[in-house]
Amino acid sequence: MWTDEQPRTRWVDPATFRFRRPDLRLGIREPRPDRTVQVADDRLTARHTVRTSTAEYTLLLNASAWLGRRGIGEALRDAVAELRAIDLTYGPNRPESLVSRLRRGEISPESYPPLADLVDRCSAMRAATDGWFDAWAVPGGFDPGGLLGGWAVERAAARLRAAGIQDYAVLTGADLVVRGHAGHGGPWRVAVHHPTDRRRPPLVLEMTAGAIGTSGVTGRRGHVVDPHTGEPADQMVAATVVGPDLAVADAYATALYAAGPTGLSWFRSGSDYRALIATDRGTRPST
């Protein structure tokens, strides 16, 4: 049963969307956009895609004309710089990253405030998920990969806000963060397609602030480890979670993918986060 527990996210009957094209789609492959800047009434819109060593990000901005093209360009530059810096500085697969140095005991989390924040978030999510998200229970030691991508997007989004951009969307894979309004002046219209059953109509949301995090849509098996056994988690095909913060939604999705249906108990009434899709292998998909 769908209820609107989040005031900034509204579930929409897909039938009412029949003649309204979604602004954003998750769960399907779309053509890679090129960077464009165009004037629309008193607004400027921009769309830019950037790839780091681990992910591809698309940024869509809808800004007041007074910022100008230079202001939008500087906002994009700052956000992209943040994404690249996090890739270089925190990537667990980079031997000289802060995460790798932390694993080797060369530094402590308190050595760098952003690293301390990252470690604290991982610790909080381990508690929130009854240990099903555990950045310390993976081969090689501490690995924040289950929420690192969402953390990076949230930090890039903070750069946009600092530059005066209040209406934007940032997407990576099947994850996104949105704030404010789309170019048409209304909430961002998001269609979330089911990862395995293309015959099912998408879940449609209108969002002015929030995030959607997904684990498992790539189809790769064994990419999430069961922290209790050390073996690859294999109960779920995909898990999608919506809520205010992408780092938290990502961590919940990763934990739900590992825990299976047991993890649905985390999303009780009153929680800021909701499971949109939880598809168990060999059973009927649930939402």
Side-chain angles (χ1 to χ4, degrees):
M1 182 176 180
W2 290 87
T3 58
D4 187 0
E5 297 279 346
Q6 301 174 76
R8 297 180 180 181
T9 297
R10 185 170 73 91
W11 320 119
V12 181
D13 182 352
T16 67
F17 247 52
R18 187 172 302 169
F19 304 108
R20 301 172 66 190
R21 181 180 178 85
D23 303 302
L24 308 167
R25 291 182 180 272
L26 293 182
I28 64 171
R29 179 177 293 275
E30 289 190 304
R32 193 167 97 175
D34 296 322
R35 179 176 177 174
T36 61
V37 179
Q38 62 186 30
V39 178
D41 297 325
D42 61 342
R43 311 288 290 178
L44 289 174
T45 62
R47 187 169 186 167
H48 181 63
T49 296
V50 60
R51 175 175 284 279
T52 67
S53 67
T54 57
E56 182 174 279
Y57 302 89
T58 297
L59 299 89
L60 297 92
L61 314 184
N62 170 34
S64 298
W66 64 263
L67 275 175
R69 295 172 186 266
R70 176 175 294 182
I72 288 182
E74 290 175 352
L76 281 171
R77 180 200 64 195
D78 289 349
V80 169
E82 184 72 12
L83 293 171
R84 292 193 184 281
I86 291 174
D87 177 57
L88 291 171
T89 308
Y90 296 93
N93 296 325
R94 294 183 178 275
E96 297 307 315
S97 74
L98 295 182
V99 169
S100 294
R101 293 179 62 193
L102 180 65
R103 284 174 168 177
R104 296 193 296 265
E106 298 173 3
I107 60 173
S108 69
E110 293 73 25
S111 302
Y112 300 89
L115 179 62
D117 177 60
L118 183 62
V119 172
D120 287 345
R121 282 173 170 265
C122 288
S123 180
M125 291 312 301
R126 179 170 59 181
T129 62
D130 305 315
W132 283 101
F133 178 91
D134 191 342
W136 291 266
V138 292
F142 177 70
D143 186 341
L147 62 70
L148 182 61
W151 186 72
V153 169
E154 290 288 357
R155 289 181 65 87
R159 291 292 191 101
L160 294 177
R161 293 193 296 275
I165 307 292
Q166 298 300 321
D167 303 283
Y168 59 79
V170 184
L171 299 85
T172 177
D175 298 348
L176 66 77
V177 164
V178 300
R179 186 180 178 118
H181 297 84
H184 49 70
W188 294 93
R189 299 191 293 259
V190 183
V192 183
H193 292 260
H194 197 276
T196 59
D197 188 352
R198 299 306 185 196
R199 297 169 299 178
R200 302 184 71 183
L203 300 173
V204 182
L205 299 85
E206 289 187 340
M207 304 176 70
T208 56
I212 299 174
T214 301
S215 182
V217 295
T218 61
R220 292 186 296 121
R221 300 180 73 162
H223 71 291
V224 174
V225 174
D226 181 334
H228 301 294
T229 66
E231 298 296 324
D234 203 32
Q235 290 195 67
M236 306 289 284
V237 175
T240 301
V241 174
V242 62
D245 183 280
L246 183 55
V248 176
D250 263 350
Y252 267 129
T254 300
L256 182 57
Y257 185 95
T262 300
L264 294 174
S265 63
W266 304 324
F267 310 104
R268 298 184 179 92
S269 177
S271 172
D272 289 333
Y273 294 84
R274 285 289 180 271
L276 285 183
I277 297 172
T279 304
D280 197 357
R281 294 189 191 277
T283 65
R284 184 177 179 179
S286 61
T287 57

